Amino acid sequence: DAGVIQSPRHEVTEMGQEVTLRCKPISGHDYLFWYRQTMMRGLELLIYFNNNVPIDDSGMPEDRFSAKMPNASFSTLKIQPSEPRDSAVYFCASTTPANYGYTFGSGTRLTVV
Amino acid sequence: AQSVTQPDIHITVSEGASLELRCNYSYGATPYLFWYVQSPGQGLQLLLKYFSGDTLVQGIKGFEAEFKRSQSSFNLRKPSVHWSDAAEYFCAVGDTGFQKLVFGTGTRLLVSP
């Protein structure tokens, strides 16, 4: 099992540009989560999906953020336009009710300059 | 609303000494509780979990944690710390094991020779 795969590992972009982060969950996991980690705010849940359907997006900071899960093996988190305060590490995680606890990806470190 | 408090931001322990990391939670019913470890530049790895049964749970890498309902605590312990245990440790609580988890702010463990 390859685990949860995120790409890219690092992204540096200029303010105002569109950024797309990608995630491939573990096969068979029907829950997918996007978290953001910063020094100031720690780990924050942005959104989660069940069976490709968004269940709770109350953590999405503003309309500049959007997330999709077009199929069971792929999800994207998009920021448009990006701002320097979006700089953070973004984690994707997946799980299934047969498990307890998530499996996390290695994260994408986003720097907006 | 659920919440998790990790009162220690940093802890330094000598190699070979015992370790206890504190975690207190706020939750109305019996919670699902987790400890995760994050090494620099990596995602979070599940160390152990509790949701029912024996209040002392064993995890990977020689860690254990004890659920104490009366104290709303779920402290992480290890009898003898190794230099490779230096990392950041996160406690988390959830309604279930497979839906949204709330994470504490983390405790950074430093191991001195």
Side-chain angles (χ1 to χ4, degrees):
Chain A
D1 190 342
V4 176
I5 300 172
Q6 291 187 246
S7 64
R9 286 297 309 272
H10 302 275
E11 177 81 38
V12 180
T13 190
E14 292 185 348
M15 183 174 61
Q17 296 298 305
E18 177 179 294
V19 176
T20 299
L21 312 182
R22 297 172 175 79
C23 175
K24 177 179 169 56
I26 290 174
S27 177
H29 283 193
D30 46 3
Y31 283 83
L32 183 140
F33 305 82
W34 283 100
Y35 277 81
R36 177 171 68 176
Q37 185 179 37
T38 61
M39 290 292 293
M40 292 300 295
R41 301 174 68 90
L43 275 159
E44 304 172 277
L45 177 65
L46 300 177
I47 185 170
Y48 80 94
F49 296 83
N50 177 217
N51 291 323
N52 315 335
V53 176
I55 302 301
D56 184 347
D57 65 355
S58 59
M60 297 286 264
E62 37 193 290
D63 291 346
R64 299 183 297 105
F65 286 69
S66 63
K68 294 183 180 179
M69 192 165 186
N71 58 61
S73 59
F74 184 64
S75 176
T76 59
L77 178 68
K78 186 175 294 186
I79 308 172
Q80 166 63 21
S82 58
E83 297 182 3
R85 60 194 167 118
D86 301 330
S87 297
V89 181
Y90 291 81
F91 287 105
C92 177
S94 70
T95 193
T96 184
N99 294 350
Y100 291 98
Y102 307 158
T103 301
F104 280 84
S106 298
T108 295
R109 180 174 295 277
L110 173 65
T111 304
V112 184
V113 298
Chain B
Q2 307 158 30
S3 67
V4 176
T5 301
Q6 293 181 249
D8 303 307
I9 298 174
H10 295 101
I11 282 186
T12 300
V13 175
S14 298
E15 189 167 19
S18 64
L19 169 70
E20 181 167 24
L21 302 182
R22 295 183 292 166
C23 172
N24 292 96
Y25 66 89
S26 173
Y27 188 69
T30 300
Y32 287 72
L33 293 160
F34 305 85
W35 275 100
Y36 284 84
V37 60
Q38 183 180 29
S39 298
Q42 300 299 313
L44 283 74
Q45 181 185 19
L46 181 63
L47 281 177
L48 48 76
K49 55 199 174 190
Y50 170 81
F51 50 92
S52 67
D54 193 346
T55 56
L56 183 63
V57 293
Q58 303 296 320
I60 62 172
K61 305 185 180 189
F63 285 92
E64 66 178 27
E66 186 171 12
F67 171 60
K68 293 186 177 180
R69 184 190 302 276
S70 62
Q71 298 178 19
S72 297
S73 69
F74 188 57
N75 294 348
L76 182 71
R77 302 193 294 247
K78 187 170 185 178
S80 177
V81 169
H82 187 262
W83 63 266
S84 60
D85 293 324
E88 187 142 22
Y89 291 80
F90 292 90
C91 183
V93 64
D95 290 331
T96 69
F98 53 88
Q99 292 176 314
K100 56 193 293 185
L101 295 183
V102 173
F103 285 83
T105 51
T107 297
R108 182 168 297 278
L109 173 65
L110 305 174
V111 180
S112 61

